[in-house]
Amino acid sequence: MAQPLVKKDDDRDDEADYSPFLGIEKGAVLQEARVFNDPQLDARRCSQVITKLLYLLNQGETFTKVEATEVFFAVTKLFQSRDIGLRRMVYLMIKELSPSADEVIIVTSSLMKDMNSKTDMYRANAIRVLCRITDGTLLTQIERYLKQAIVDKNPVVASAALVSGIHLLQTNPEIVKRWSNEVQEAVQSRAALVQFHALALLHQIRQNDRLAVSKLVTSLTRGTVRSPLAQCLLIRYTSQVIRESGNISQTGDRPFYDYLESCLRHKAEMVIFEAAKAITELSGVTNRELTPAITVLQLFLSSSKPVLRFAAVRTLNKVAMTHPMAVTNCNIDMESLISDPNRSIATLAITTLLKTGNESSVDRLMKQITNFMSDIADEFKIVVVEAIRSLCLKFPLKYRSLMNFLSNILREEGGFEYKKAIVDSIVILIRDIPDAKESGLLHLCEFIEDCEFTYLSTQILHFLGIEGPKTSDPSKYIRYIYNRVHLENATVRASAVSTLAKFGALVDSLKPRIFILLRRCLFDSDDEVRDRATLYLNTLEGDGSIVETDEEVKDFLFGSLEVPLANLETSLKNYEPSEEPFDINSVPKEIKSQPLAEKKAPGKKQTGLGAPPSGPPSTVDAYDKLLSSIPEFSSFGNLFKSSPPVELTEAETEYAVNVVKHIFDGHVVFQYNCTNTIPEQLLENVTVLVDASEAEDFNEVASKPLRALPYDTPGQTFVAFEKPEGVSAVGKFSNMLRFIVKEVDPSTGEADEDGVEDEYQLEDLEVVAADYMLKVLVSNFRNAWESMDPDSEQVDEYGLGPRENLTEAVNAVISLLGMQPCEGSEVVPNNSRSHTCLLSGVYMGNVKVLVRLSFGIDSSKEVAMKLAVRSDDISISSAIHDIVASG
């Protein structure tokens, strides 16, 4: 019985993959378009050709001016056909071609004739097309017809006129505002769509007048709106008025809130949900005011419609973040949703329950969660893990069941970020709940037996060395640690040796056993492992060569290193064996520039919008620590981003200089990394003179010179600029290196006392828009896009001019925006005429941004691009468009 079912599914897959437009070429379709000129028109054939042309246009195919004109004139000949279906296709084609002003005149008479036709379908579509292609001059000529159409008895015609008014309001607001009387009359229409479109247009006409909007809402909330769609709009406008007027929880008459509450008893489900959602999103709302909204959402949880269940549980999930107690009455209903076939609903139900659950429900909840964890993506699992961690800290007596759950899912399949979230949660629970320490450490020990991530293994071993010796029976962890010495790579083996030494330092009874194990490590194949074993044996055996007391041993093993590792490495390489031992106090504590070059680790993928910025985490932390240690810059706040080094000199010149741009909310700091490549010279009082005449928004506020720059010893000088806070200011900076040069005697290495002031011209430096964007990868772009507020979306089209191919255009836009390509969409297939690229990032101010780019290239290699942006802040969406428009 199984075989026919499999075959049937395969057939369906084949059908789903088949496209009637597969392989069509623009040239061939343009040849087919000649049928428009036939004396005897074939309506069906003409419709098929127009369908192909529309498909090409919507796939990003661009027509040259000549091609578009020829197609336009050919399409206008189809007005002679009386076929209604073909006429509708003609309307669509004219809208897509967007003819020029000269060409519009050709088709205007035909469209105006259709606008006054007795066929309502002709009238409605003619209005839409005319308003799409017309300019202000022609609009005044047809304004009388549009006003009549708004109050037309046919709802299709009236809606067409109203929707056209909404579009025209963006380009010809003064004309549309004169239609207020007709639009107000349309608001009273009995047709649902007409009332919906009329209300939308009337609100847009008055949106800049807060008092007028308030009066409109006041008049309509008295019961004149019948359309459920219009009612949903009115609920949103009412919420807007409440937000602008202040707190809702005031005594006396509250007509707006009472209207929202009355909508909870509406017949239409969409109105009920919209009202409930609006009430839950009001600022300052109390639990008493939330109760009626929560009640109807609770009823939706048991609905047979998945969309209602999803909408209700998502809204309750948001409410649980601010009013968890108000949602507790819904917990029983949400528990039933854990087994919902829709995994998005189940995930939202679980995370909500974890925020609102009580201590008695924890065990039951854990059993239900276990059944579905394997069916959801890692990004959802991380959310669940973080919610479980919060629940455990909330109810510490339940640590055993929650810790067992975390341990079980730790052994299952999963990516690095997911496993790291679990390990971090266990570590936090061990630190905050004393009773959980021993069981938690054992769970971590069992995990590293099969852990495939080196980073996690080393971090667990490090934590084990700190917490393990403090338990009642430290000896039980030694077996797990020593196994790492035999079964892991060199990095983990070296970390295991350090952990063994820490046990030996803190647990006297284990010292003999630790000595035996460390001596075995002296025969390891790796230098690092052998060196660590030798060092720790000499330290623990206490012969006085390294440390003298037990306190010094513990300080040596557990104390923090006070110098940067990069500087220590450089000093050790430069150290020449002599009678004088190496002195760690001679290592400079200021971070050198060369190790700070950001290098992108190949092959590493980051998951989630909260992923760290590109470059090693130590690099980001090092920059932050360096800048905060300089008094002139310590008041600038948090460092948002540091750019990769930009070379300001050519290779093999006397002085090598590169610059790192450090971006703060209200400042930009330039870190000039300088290297003197002339052995016979010493540079002193090194500064960079920066000319910001081409960067009007920047004002120099501080600088930090470099006192001395010996041969082949990198150093830094800094210049700080103030800019408007929160603004992505751009500009061009000229740079001149100024210094005092002193001759150095090669035989003695001593410099002359007198020096000469000199200058060296550097390349110009630019602060660009991409400097205010962090590259952050999202693992599932579609989910991230849909989770963003659709109202924040901004869409526009741009011409990118001639390009060699689409790859060049894609790379240019990615470079301009400075965002992270997702899902490999930066790769353009060979000879592709259209392409879609997905980008993500975090804009200055920690605003998440997602971008969807659609490219098309024509035969003359002209590239067109459609840009869609969603973000947490609609003003940032507009800013991204401004960047592209000015780039």
Side-chain angles (χ1 to χ4, degrees):
M1 292 296 291
Q3 187 62 32
L5 289 175
V6 173
K7 179 62 178 170
K8 188 174 182 180
D9 288 343
D10 288 343
D11 290 342
R12 285 183 178 177
D13 290 342
D14 292 341
E15 289 172 10
D17 292 337
Y18 171 73
S19 169
F21 305 107
L22 190 64
I24 66 171
E25 292 288 339
K26 182 178 73 171
V29 177
L30 290 175
Q31 289 291 328
E32 290 184 57
R34 293 179 178 178
V35 300
F36 301 159
N37 300 315
D38 290 350
Q40 298 295 324
L41 289 174
D42 184 342
R44 185 170 177 273
R45 178 78 187 283
C46 291
S47 295
Q48 289 175 343
V49 176
I50 291 179
T51 302
K52 292 179 181 180
L53 289 168
L54 290 170
Y55 172 79
L56 290 173
L57 287 169
N58 280 280
Q59 289 300 305
E61 191 76 56
T62 53
F63 291 179
T64 64
K65 179 67 175 174
V66 174
E67 290 170 343
T69 302
E70 289 178 354
V71 171
F72 173 75
F73 280 110
V75 167
T76 58
K77 295 179 181 179
L78 300 180
F79 274 104
Q80 60 187 306
S81 173
R82 296 183 179 276
D83 186 272
I84 294 179
L86 178 59
R87 182 67 60 88
R88 296 179 70 181
M89 298 298 289
V90 170
Y91 293 140
L92 282 174
M93 195 65 202
I94 293 172
K95 282 174 65 177
E96 289 296 325
L97 286 173
S98 298
S100 62
D102 295 336
E103 296 167 347
V104 166
I105 299 173
I106 306 299
V107 78
T108 299
S109 59
S110 298
L111 289 172
M112 291 185 70
K113 181 180 176 182
D114 282 357
M115 196 165 66
N116 295 294
S117 169
K118 293 181 180 180
T119 307
D120 291 333
M121 191 60 67
Y122 285 2
R123 294 168 60 202
N125 284 311
I127 289 171
R128 290 176 184 270
V129 177
L130 262 177
C131 293
R132 171 71 177 269
I133 66 175
T134 191
D135 58 9
T137 306
L138 182 60
L139 187 60
T140 55
Q141 298 177 22
I142 63 172
E143 183 181 4
R144 178 168 60 89
Y145 299 105
L146 293 175
K147 284 185 175 181
Q148 291 174 355
I150 288 173
V151 293
D152 196 276
K153 293 180 180 180
N154 188 293
V156 177
V157 176
S159 275
L162 290 165
V163 171
S164 298
I166 292 171
H167 292 303
L168 288 170
L169 193 62
Q170 312 303 319
T171 54
N172 297 278
E174 295 305 319
I175 294 176
V176 178
K177 286 177 181 178
R178 296 202 294 259
W179 306 350
S180 291
N181 291 335
E182 287 77 12
V183 176
Q184 279 183 313
E185 186 177 338
V187 170
Q188 308 303 322
S189 171
R190 290 183 175 274
L193 273 179
V194 174
Q195 196 172 49
F196 169 65
H197 290 138
L199 178 56
L201 178 55
L202 192 58
H203 178 265
Q204 285 198 25
I205 290 172
R206 300 182 178 182
Q207 63 183 348
N208 295 323
D209 186 343
R210 185 181 295 183
L211 181 60
V213 171
S214 181
K215 287 182 178 178
L216 172 65
V217 171
T218 302
S219 64
L220 294 177
T221 52
R222 292 171 183 164
T224 57
V225 177
R226 302 179 187 86
S227 163
L229 288 169
Q231 197 108 7
C232 289
L233 268 186
L234 184 56
I235 288 170
R236 294 183 183 184
Y237 300 153
T238 304
S239 299
Q240 178 188 340
V241 172
I242 292 174
R243 284 195 300 271
E244 292 174 352
S245 63
N247 197 341
I248 66 161
S249 299
Q250 45 190 307
T251 58
D253 192 23
R254 302 182 305 168
F256 293 137
Y257 174 78
D258 293 339
Y259 168 71
L260 293 181
E261 193 171 2
S262 69
C263 289
L264 296 174
R265 297 182 290 275
H266 199 275
K267 294 179 181 179
E269 290 169 336
M270 70 169 77
V271 175
I272 297 172
F273 172 72
E274 193 70 38
K277 182 170 176 282
I279 291 173
T280 61
E281 291 177 350
L282 292 174
S283 59
V285 66
T286 64
N287 282 347
R288 185 183 64 81
E289 291 160 340
L290 275 175
T291 301
I294 299 297
T295 302
V296 299
L297 291 173
Q298 185 176 4
L299 293 174
F300 282 171
L301 291 176
S302 56
S303 170
S304 59
K305 300 176 182 177
V307 67
L308 280 180
R309 298 199 303 275
F310 176 77
V313 75
R314 185 172 66 168
T315 305
L316 289 170
N317 186 277
K318 291 180 181 178
V319 176
M321 296 178 186
T322 52
H323 298 82
M325 295 307 296
V327 185
T328 52
N329 291 336
C330 306
N331 284 2
I332 296 175
D333 297 277
M334 280 190 286
E335 283 188 31
S336 64
L337 294 180
I338 294 177
S339 57
D340 195 282
N342 186 311
R343 307 321 283 166
S344 297
I345 295 175
T347 304
L348 284 168
I350 282 174
T351 52
T352 308
L353 284 168
L354 291 172
K355 294 170 187 173
T356 62
N358 52 45
E359 194 165 4
S360 60
S361 65
V362 170
D363 292 331
R364 183 177 72 256
L365 199 55
M366 288 299 101
K367 290 178 182 178
Q368 291 176 291
I369 293 176
T370 305
N371 298 328
F372 97 113
M373 281 293 283
S374 58
D375 297 336
I376 59 175
D378 276 8
E379 57 187 313
F380 291 120
K381 292 179 182 177
I382 292 171
V383 174
V384 174
V385 168
E386 290 172 350
I388 289 173
R389 180 178 69 206
S390 301
L391 187 68
C392 192
L393 294 174
K394 184 178 178 183
F395 304 119
L397 295 178
K398 290 293 182 181
Y399 78 86
R400 198 177 302 278
S401 60
L402 294 170
M403 188 73 81
N404 287 336
F405 174 80
L406 292 174
S407 174
N408 291 333
I409 61 175
L410 191 57
R411 298 191 193 97
E412 297 174 358
E413 292 294 323
F416 171 76
E417 292 292 341
Y418 172 48
K419 293 298 180 72
K420 183 176 181 296
I422 302 172
V423 171
D424 289 345
S425 297
I426 293 177
V427 167
I428 290 171
L429 297 181
I430 290 172
R431 286 175 175 169
D432 293 355
I433 305 175
D435 292 341
K437 180 176 291 185
E438 298 210 10
S439 62
L441 289 175
L442 278 176
H443 290 317
L444 292 177
C445 287
E446 291 168 358
F447 170 62
I448 59 173
E449 295 275 287
D450 302 309
C451 181
E452 58 183 309
F453 302 109
T454 298
Y455 173 81
L456 289 182
S457 295
T458 55
Q459 292 301 305
I460 291 171
L461 286 167
H462 172 72
F463 181 70
L464 197 59
I466 296 171
E467 297 293 333
K470 302 174 185 177
T471 59
S472 59
D473 184 12
S475 62
K476 61 185 175 184
Y477 306 111
I478 300 300
R479 174 176 63 86
Y480 295 101
I481 300 169
Y482 188 63
N483 282 346
R484 301 304 97 215
V485 177
H486 289 289
L487 304 174
E488 290 286 357
N489 58 51
T491 303
V492 179
R493 296 203 306 273
S495 183
V497 169
S498 297
T499 304
L500 286 172
K502 291 173 182 177
F503 272 79
L506 295 177
V507 186
D508 291 337
S509 60
L510 291 177
K511 273 190 177 181
R513 184 179 174 189
I514 297 296
F515 288 161
I516 294 172
L517 298 178
L518 289 177
R519 288 191 182 99
R520 292 177 183 173
C521 296
L522 296 174
F523 303 98
D524 193 273
S525 59
D526 183 73
D527 291 342
E528 173 77 11
V529 177
R530 293 197 304 273
D531 289 348
R532 287 198 187 194
T534 302
L535 173 65
Y536 294 140
L537 278 170
N538 291 335
T539 302
L540 294 173
E541 287 176 343
D543 60 1
S545 59
I546 299 178
V547 291
E548 296 180 355
T549 65
D550 287 345
E551 285 302 316
E552 288 181 341
V553 169
K554 293 175 183 176
D555 185 60
F556 177 75
L557 288 171
F558 297 97
S560 60
L561 195 62
E562 295 180 354
V563 296
L565 286 174
N567 292 1
L568 178 60
E569 180 184 5
T570 303
S571 299
L572 287 170
K573 286 180 178 177
N574 296 335
Y575 171 71
E576 295 181 2
S578 64
E579 294 181 0
E580 290 292 325
F582 177 79
D583 184 7
I584 196 168
N585 293 321
S586 65
V587 180
K589 296 183 179 181
E590 187 173 293
I591 301 172
K592 297 297 182 183
S593 61
Q594 284 181 336
L596 292 177
E598 297 189 46
K599 297 179 181 178
K600 188 174 180 182
K604 283 191 177 180
K605 278 196 172 183
Q606 299 168 346
T607 57
L609 270 174
S614 60
S618 58
T619 301
V620 179
D621 295 340
Y623 280 139
D624 199 12
K625 187 175 181 180
L626 169 64
L627 293 169
S628 61
S629 68
I630 300 173
E632 293 89 339
F633 313 144
S634 59
S635 62
F636 289 179
N638 294 327
L639 175 64
F640 173 70
K641 178 185 177 182
S642 296
S643 74
V646 179
E647 296 297 334
L648 299 182
T649 56
E650 295 180 358
E652 300 179 1
T653 55
E654 303 97 312
Y655 312 112
V657 181
N658 64 48
V659 61
V660 176
K661 295 173 279 188
H662 301 295
I663 308 297
F664 295 81
D665 196 35
H667 297 82
V668 174
V669 177
F670 297 142
Q671 174 185 326
Y672 295 90
N673 302 315
C674 310
T675 304
N676 173 17
T677 62
I678 304 176
E680 299 81 18
Q681 288 186 357
L682 170 67
L683 308 185
E684 291 185 347
N685 195 23
V686 180
T687 59
V688 176
L689 300 181
V690 184
D691 179 6
S693 57
E694 295 184 61
E696 298 177 351
D697 293 331
F698 295 82
N699 296 310
E700 184 173 337
V701 292
S703 62
K704 186 176 184 297
L706 178 62
R707 281 185 294 181
L709 187 64
Y711 164 68
D712 204 28
T713 303
Q716 304 98 21
T717 177
F718 300 83
V719 181
F721 286 84
E722 188 178 31
K723 68 176 186 66
E725 191 165 338
V727 175
S728 53
V730 297
K732 187 176 183 179
F733 303 82
S734 300
N735 304 282
M736 177 75 74
L737 187 68
R738 177 174 289 179
F739 48 84
I740 296 173
V741 59
K742 294 183 177 180
E743 295 295 325
V744 176
D745 187 342
S747 59
T748 63
E750 294 183 356
D752 293 344
E753 291 186 5
D754 298 324
V756 179
E757 189 169 288
D758 200 358
E759 293 180 344
Y760 188 82
Q761 184 66 49
L762 304 176
E763 296 289 341
D764 291 346
L765 167 68
E766 285 188 271
V767 173
V768 295
D771 291 325
Y772 300 95
M773 181 74 73
L774 279 175
K775 292 184 176 182
V776 176
L777 186 70
V778 294
S779 58
N780 190 322
F781 187 91
R782 181 178 179 181
N783 286 353
W785 180 268
E786 291 176 352
S787 66
M788 288 268 191
D789 184 2
D791 293 339
S792 72
E793 184 172 344
Q794 299 277 322
V795 184
D796 209 341
E797 297 178 353
Y798 302 89
L800 303 185
R803 301 278 177 171
E804 188 61 31
N805 49 44
L806 280 184
T807 300
E808 180 187 334
V810 170
N811 292 338
V813 178
I814 292 174
S815 176
L816 175 66
L817 295 178
M819 299 181 71
Q820 176 67 44
C822 301
E823 302 176 1
S825 59
E826 72 275 19
V827 180
V828 182
N830 291 334
N831 303 318
S832 178
R833 308 302 299 272
S834 60
H835 184 68
T836 298
C837 183
L838 311 174
L839 305 177
S840 67
V842 173
Y843 199 73
M844 183 177 57
N846 291 321
V847 180
K848 298 173 185 175
V849 184
L850 297 177
V851 166
R852 181 175 280 158
L853 303 166
S854 300
F855 296 88
I857 187 169
D858 63 16
S859 56
S860 61
K861 296 193 175 181
E862 290 282 332
V863 176
M865 179 186 74
K866 182 178 180 181
L867 169 65
V869 186
R870 287 189 181 183
S871 73
D872 288 345
D873 185 345
I874 192 169
S875 65
I876 302 303
S877 300
S878 301
I880 300 299
H881 278 279
D882 293 341
I883 292 169
V884 173
S886 61

